[in-house]
Amino acid sequence: MTSITRRRFMVTASAIGAIGLTAGMALAEAPPLAKKDSYKVGFAQTESNNPWRIAQTQSMHDEAKKLGHQLVYTDAAGSAAKQVADVNSMIAQGVDLIFLAPREEKPLIPAVMAAKKAGIPVILLDRNVDQALAKAGEDYVTFIGSDFIDEGKRVAEWLIKNANGKTKIIELEGTTGSSPANDRKKGFDEAINAAGGFTILASQSGDFARDKGRQVAEALLQAHPDADVIYAHNDEMAMGAIAALEAIGKQPGKDVIVLSIDGGKEAVQAVVDGKINAVVECNPRFGPKAFETMMRYAGGEKIDAWVKNEDKFYDPSNAAAELANAY
Ligand code: GYE
């Protein structure tokens, strides 16, 4: 580099830096977190209508308390618009960092960007945002959560091995536009289609909710009375499907194979009782990993784009033994 080009390079670099800082424009990196003994931290929850969410919230509260951090908690009550408003209110309150469980992949992008612009780092918990619109390490720090594609695939693999001639599937999808619904469908459908011999008769959203799941299962069972497998993207909808089956005199787990994801106590008990055939766990106890990741970030460590949770698998071979450990 000649001295002229070097000088020009330095001028350009500092000009970009100045613009970036004053205008809050596209910074190359997620906002830093200053080192402190205790933090005021936001946790923007999506809803509290199931044991999974309640266990996650409890775990966040417990860990914050244990470590002496203040937790500013909001519950979006199932509305992405409210969740965006919740994040904006956390920004206004000047929290140090925001843990965000984005209800859907696209609608929460403005919240992530608003926090970034305000210089507040965001850690995504349990659900992800659209990867074409926001990036780990740039727009938010990292995504902590399970491999949802693999969860769906593990359900499919169990079915392929244990179907015993049952091949006609009803799929109950999670919240439309959420990363676990998208990915649990992708992982399952791809593996099932690759195996051959199975038919997905219908696939419809039950919004990860018990009663919605029951209603959708009821309607789909009526339209497809020959269905002999129900794959639900979470336990709540699986429990709803069990109620729908019992209401028409079918035995869940026997006449119709029931498969689920989450692995809460009620579902693991249903495996023991023979009403659910297999469940892939999705661990909701995020507190320790969330705060540990935050502290590593404050310490200047480079955080991977994805901090992965490992999930167990429950079927009749281990459900009774694992029941006590299920949330
Ligand atoms: O499976 C479901 C919850 O985002 C992984 O959301 C989570 C899912 C979980 O409401 O029960």
Side-chain angles (χ1 to χ4, degrees):
M1 214 186 262
T2 68
S3 64
I4 292 171
T5 28
R6 189 167 30 215
R7 206 176 312 128
R8 201 177 286 152
F9 170 76
M10 285 165 65
V11 168
T12 316
S14 67
I16 290 169
I19 292 165
L21 286 177
T22 47
M25 279 173 51
L27 298 172
E29 285 182 6
L33 180 64
K35 249 186 148 167
K36 292 202 265 180
D37 286 340
S38 81
Y39 292 91
K40 183 175 167 184
V41 172
F43 173 39
Q45 178 60 286
T46 59
E47 55 219 346
S48 302
N49 63 345
N50 73 43
W52 194 99
R53 292 278 148 209
I54 290 164
Q56 184 190 37
T57 299
Q58 189 64 48
S59 175
M60 292 297 287
H61 276 298
D62 289 351
E63 194 68 10
K65 196 167 166 204
K66 184 175 139 197
L67 300 174
H69 302 304
Q70 186 193 340
L71 196 68
V72 177
Y73 172 75
T74 55
D75 176 352
S79 156
K82 177 170 186 310
Q83 199 174 26
V84 172
D86 289 344
V87 169
N88 284 331
S89 133
M90 287 173 184
I91 295 169
Q93 291 176 61
V95 297
D96 297 307
L97 176 138
I98 296 170
F99 289 113
L100 169 64
R103 189 168 195 275
E104 292 137 60
E105 285 192 325
K106 284 192 175 74
L108 269 299
I109 294 287
V112 172
M113 294 309 180
K116 178 185 179 182
K117 195 168 173 199
I120 300 172
V122 169
I123 292 180
L124 299 181
L125 280 194
D126 93 70
R127 289 188 188 177
N128 214 331
V129 291
D130 189 322
Q131 294 299 289
L133 301 175
K135 293 254 173 307
E138 281 178 37
D139 303 309
Y140 58 91
V141 178
T142 183
F143 162 62
I144 305 178
S146 294
D147 184 338
F148 302 128
I149 295 183
D150 193 55
E151 288 176 346
K153 188 171 162 222
R154 290 171 78 189
V155 173
E157 281 167 353
W158 185 94
L159 180 61
I160 292 161
K161 267 198 219 114
N162 299 283
N164 257 329
K166 298 202 193 306
T167 58
K168 296 184 237 30
I169 305 167
I170 285 175
E171 181 168 353
L172 300 176
E173 300 172 19
T175 297
T176 304
S178 73
S179 64
N182 290 342
D183 292 350
R184 285 171 184 171
K185 178 165 183 60
K186 187 176 177 358
F188 178 85
D189 289 13
E190 277 177 8
I192 279 298
N193 292 332
F198 291 91
T199 315
I200 299 173
L201 298 172
S203 183
Q204 199 176 309
S205 175
D207 204 17
F208 280 134
R210 183 176 300 219
D211 202 51
K212 188 78 198 294
R214 183 189 57 77
Q215 288 169 34
V216 173
E218 213 170 81
L220 293 180
L221 283 165
Q222 212 159 51
H224 305 279
D226 54 336
D228 49 19
V229 178
I230 294 183
Y231 161 45
H233 288 188
N234 81 344
D235 287 352
E236 286 298 292
M237 296 189 297
M239 297 313 296
I242 288 173
L245 285 167
E246 287 176 338
I248 55 169
K250 291 202 173 171
Q251 275 193 293
K254 295 188 182 64
D255 300 327
V256 176
I257 291 178
V258 179
L259 304 165
S260 180
I261 298 175
D262 268 0
K265 228 182 205 63
E266 194 181 9
V268 178
Q269 180 66 55
V271 176
V272 175
D273 298 341
K275 295 187 178 190
I276 292 183
N277 301 76
V279 187
V280 174
E281 183 204 35
C282 183
N283 192 342
R285 294 171 177 137
F286 278 80
K289 204 177 262 179
F291 285 98
E292 181 214 292
T293 305
M294 177 182 97
M295 295 315 285
R296 287 199 289 122
Y297 188 60
E301 240 183 82
K302 172 114 187 57
I303 310 295
D304 289 342
W306 182 3
V307 177
K308 216 186 252 191
N309 282 352
E310 297 304 325
D311 301 318
K312 296 187 211 171
F313 191 94
Y314 304 114
D315 71 4
S317 71
N318 66 349
E322 289 283 354
L323 190 56
N325 305 322
Y327 61 91

